Amino acid sequence: MAVMQSHLPYDRGALEPHVSRKTMSYHYDEHHSGYVKKLNDLIEGTDYDSLSLEQIVSKARANGDTAVFNNAAQAWNHGFFWKSMSPNGGGTPQGKLKEMIDDQYPDFDVFKQQLRDAALGQFGSGWAWLVLDNDKIRITTTGNAETPLGTNVVPLLTMDVWEHAYYLDYQNVRKSYVEAFIENLVNWEFAAANLAGKPAIRAA
Ligand code: MN3
């Protein structure tokens, strides 16, 4: 059974002016779609074929099946990334997530700065993440397709820092894209739902 490309939870132009319709069209319809198509080509007729996308990521990592892992992880990461943004994003987290940030960081601006620094510090292609690590939140990054999914931390939020995520809108200036993500796009409600263990995280 083929893996389905996860749904884009808003219109392709909904994140303008921060992410253009053109970027979103390429990113969703070419890049994300390409990972899903490639994955399905790779797994057809194999033991992976009957598994969920999350199971494929874990099994391919364990088996060292690099091509399957890379395409499956990218398929999952993008589904998670679309939900990590919202046309009504930005602002401040509420509830338990806010409490944890307040407990672990001097203030919200320092937290945001560390998230920004992590996203800028990831050399080359990759992802910046907010994860739950035991009972603490943690900012981390992964290179290329690598993902916290299936490891011992819980992904709460992600930012795609591959150049294809921002080049058409910001050229090589990752900093401007990262600022726009943190100030205008980030979906704190999605992160809070993942923190609460809501099924949002499983809807790859
Ligand atoms: Mn991407």
Side-chain angles (χ1 to χ4, degrees), residues 5 9 16 30 40 45 66 103 106 130 132 138 147 169 172 181 188 194 203-204:
Q5 183 178 9
E16 290 191 330
E30 302 292 336
N40 283 324
T66 306
D103 283 349
L130 183 65
L132 180 66
R138 187 158 61 81
T147 179
D169 298 330
N172 61 326
F181 180 96
W188 293 122
N194 290 324

Side-chain angles (χ1 to χ4, degrees), residues 70-137:
N70 284 340
N71 286 283
Q74 284 296 81
W76 189 87
N77 288 346
H78 281 90
F80 196 76
F81 173 57
W82 309 134
K83 294 176 204 149
S84 294
M85 299 185 289
S86 163
N88 310 116
T92 55
Q94 303 298 320
K96 170 91 169 153
L97 180 57
K98 180 182 190 307
E99 286 172 26
M100 292 179 80
I101 291 169
D102 289 346
D103 283 349
Q104 290 181 231
Y105 296 85
D107 59 48
F108 187 57
D109 283 342
V110 171
F111 169 80
K112 285 197 296 186
Q113 187 178 330
Q114 291 190 17
L115 181 58
R116 190 191 67 192
D117 289 349
L120 292 174
Q122 170 58 39
F123 182 78
S125 297
W127 302 82
W129 302 86
L130 183 65
V131 301
L132 180 66
D133 185 352
N134 291 305
D135 57 352
K136 301 276 193 196
I137 54 170

Side-chain angles (χ1 to χ4, degrees), residues 14-202:
L15 303 183
E16 290 191 330
H18 311 293
V19 174
S20 66
R21 177 183 293 274
K22 188 174 181 184
T23 288
M24 192 56 80
S25 297
Y26 274 105
H27 206 170
Y28 184 76
D29 298 313
E30 302 292 336
H31 291 280
H32 187 189
S33 174
Y35 295 124
V36 175
K37 286 194 184 101
K38 186 75 190 292
L39 175 65
N40 283 324
D41 287 347
L42 287 167
I43 67 173
E44 190 179 357
T46 73
D47 290 347
Y48 290 107
D49 208 11
S50 59
L51 303 180
S52 71
L53 180 56
E54 290 172 306
Q55 290 169 328
I56 293 169
V57 169
S58 292
K59 182 169 175 160
R61 178 189 275 121
N63 289 354
D65 286 340
T66 306
V68 173
F69 176 82
N70 284 340
N71 286 283
Q74 284 296 81
W76 189 87
N77 288 346
H78 281 90
F80 196 76
F81 173 57
W82 309 134
K83 294 176 204 149
S84 294
M85 299 185 289
S86 163
N88 310 116
T92 55
Q94 303 298 320
K96 170 91 169 153
L97 180 57
K98 180 182 190 307
E99 286 172 26
M100 292 179 80
I101 291 169
D102 289 346
D103 283 349
Q104 290 181 231
Y105 296 85
D107 59 48
F108 187 57
D109 283 342
V110 171
F111 169 80
K112 285 197 296 186
Q113 187 178 330
Q114 291 190 17
L115 181 58
R116 190 191 67 192
D117 289 349
L120 292 174
Q122 170 58 39
F123 182 78
S125 297
W127 302 82
W129 302 86
L130 183 65
V131 301
L132 180 66
D133 185 352
N134 291 305
D135 57 352
K136 301 276 193 196
I137 54 170
R138 187 158 61 81
I139 294 164
T140 187
T141 61
T142 58
N144 298 314
E146 189 51 66
T147 179
L149 177 72
T151 70
N152 57 356
V153 300
V154 178
L156 302 178
L157 186 83
T158 196
M159 186 190 327
D160 188 343
V161 296
W162 285 58
E163 266 191 357
H164 67 224
Y166 59 87
Y167 199 85
L168 293 174
D169 298 330
Y170 301 97
Q171 289 71 56
N172 61 326
V173 189
R174 187 189 289 184
K175 185 171 192 287
S176 299
Y177 159 73
V178 168
E179 288 287 352
F181 180 96
I182 293 174
E183 296 304 324
N184 302 108
L185 297 175
V186 60
N187 185 350
W188 293 122
E189 289 177 13
F190 177 64
N194 290 324
L195 182 65
K198 297 277 174 54
I201 188 176
R202 310 204 188 284

